[in-house]
Amino acid sequence: MTQDDVKLVVLLALSYMVNEEENKRISADGTLFDFLLKMVKTAEKAKNRSQWGFSIHELINGLAKLAENDDNRTTIMKKGAFDILKRLLKKENQAEQIAVVNAIRELSLAPKNKVLFKEDKEVWKTLKELRNSDNKELSKAAQGAYFVINEGKDKENAKKTPERAEQEAHDTGHIMLSYNLGDQKTVLKIRDRLREKGLTVWMDVDNMEGSILEAMARAVEESRIVLVCYSEKYKESQNCKTEAEYAYSQKKEVVPLLMQRGYKATGWLGAIIGAKLFYDFSGKYDFDKKFTELYSSLAGKFAPGKT
C-alpha cells in the first residue's frame, strides 16, 4: 500500500468516525480536501469508476460526512467540489447520484453554497426532476436537497386552494412534535396526554399525506410551538435536523424535551436549544410530574378547544 493509499483510507475512516465538532480539526488542512477531490476525478476516468478500491459514491459519501461542519462546507466548495458534483449529478449512475444529492444537501446548509446550487439552472432542474425518480432512495434524497436549498418553499406549488386559505386564516396554531423514531413510544404518550388536555397536536403518524417534506414544512409553518424531542439519535438524523433548523428559521418557539438520560446537545442542535428550559422525559424522573410541568408552561399559550 502506497502513502497515498494510506492517506485516503485514513481520511475516509475519519469522515465516518469523527463527530461534528471534531470535523473542524480536519478542515485545518485544506490539502486533505484537495486529495479527496483528486481521487474522485481519477475514479471518474477509471473503467470501474473507483480508485484504490473506493467507488465514486463511497468517496462522495465521505465528502458529505466531512461537510457536516460549517467550516468544511465552505472549504470544500472553494476546492472545486461544485463542478465535480454538477458533473456527476448528470450521470445516470443512481448510486453516484444519491451520494451527490446527499452531499449537495449537506453543503447547502451554508448560505453561500445554497445560492450557488439554486442559481445554477442545470443543477436546479436536475434536482427537481430527481424528486420524481422511480428509485425511492434517490427521490427522497432529492426532495431533501430541494427542500434545504429552497428553504421549505416550493414556489411552483405555492398557490393555495380557497379551502386551505380559509382554514389557515382561522388557524391559531398547533403544537408540533419533532422526534426520532426511537423515542416514538414516549412521544405518543405525550401527544395523547396533551390532546386529553384539549390542545391540538401535530405528529407525523397522524398527518403524513403526500410529500413527507411538504407535510413537515406545513406542520412547522402552521405551528405555534415545536416540541423538539431530542437525543443523540435525533441529532444524527438528517430529517430531524431539517425539521429543527426549519422551525428555527421560521422563528417558531422551540421547547426542548430531553429523551435520553444524561445527553447534552452540541453542534447544530446545541445552537438551536441553547440555554432554553428543557423538560426531562428520559425516564430519570416521574413522567406525570414532568408532563404537568410541560403542560403548565404550554397552557397559557393556548385556549383549549379553540386550537
Side-chain angles (χ1 to χ4, degrees), residues 111-233:
K112 289 184 179 179
N113 295 345
K114 183 184 300 182
V115 173
L116 288 174
F117 286 118
K118 188 171 183 178
E119 289 186 345
D120 188 286
K121 293 181 180 180
E122 287 186 57
V123 171
W124 195 232
K125 179 183 178 181
T126 304
L127 282 176
K128 288 197 285 187
E129 292 173 348
L130 290 178
R131 291 182 302 165
N132 299 315
S133 171
D134 293 332
N135 184 311
K136 291 183 179 180
E137 187 177 357
L138 179 56
S139 173
K140 182 178 179 181
Q143 288 179 41
Y146 185 89
F147 181 89
V148 170
I149 295 172
N150 217 26
E151 298 179 344
K153 304 294 182 181
D154 188 344
K155 294 181 180 178
E156 295 174 345
N157 298 316
K159 293 182 179 180
K160 300 175 183 177
T161 63
E163 293 78 10
R164 184 182 170 191
E166 182 179 357
Q167 172 66 34
E168 291 183 7
H170 292 86
D171 192 0
T172 57
H174 54 241
I175 297 170
M176 176 182 174
L177 286 163
S178 177
Y179 69 101
N180 177 268
L181 187 61
D183 298 310
Q184 188 180 74
K185 184 176 180 180
T186 300
V187 176
L188 283 168
K189 190 174 180 181
I190 294 170
R191 178 202 65 177
D192 293 344
R193 292 288 293 274
L194 288 173
R195 287 178 175 173
E196 287 173 6
K197 293 290 187 178
L199 298 178
T200 300
V201 182
W202 189 99
M203 189 172 175
D204 58 4
V205 294
D206 306 310
N207 304 278
M208 293 306 285
E209 296 181 358
S211 166
I212 294 175
L213 283 168
E214 287 179 7
M216 181 277 288
R218 287 198 301 273
V220 171
E221 292 162 5
E222 297 168 13
S223 69
R224 185 181 299 183
I225 293 174
V226 177
L227 301 183
V228 172
C229 307
Y230 71 101
S231 62
E232 184 175 3
K233 289 183 178 180

Side-chain angles (χ1 to χ4, degrees), residues 28-85:
D29 183 1
T31 61
L32 290 173
F33 298 115
D34 288 325
F35 181 78
L36 182 52
L37 292 172
K38 179 181 178 182
M39 294 304 98
V40 175
K41 291 179 181 179
T42 303
E44 285 187 83
K45 298 175 182 178
K47 290 184 178 180
N48 61 356
R49 297 187 70 75
S50 66
Q51 176 67 4
W52 292 323
F54 292 98
S55 65
I56 287 179
H57 73 266
E58 290 173 330
L59 293 168
I60 297 298
N61 283 337
L63 188 73
K65 290 292 293 182
L66 293 170
E68 290 179 359
N69 174 270
D70 284 335
D71 291 339
N72 288 348
R73 292 183 188 118
T74 300
T75 303
I76 289 169
M77 291 293 278
K78 286 181 178 179
K79 294 295 183 178
F82 181 88
D83 290 338
I84 294 174
L85 295 174

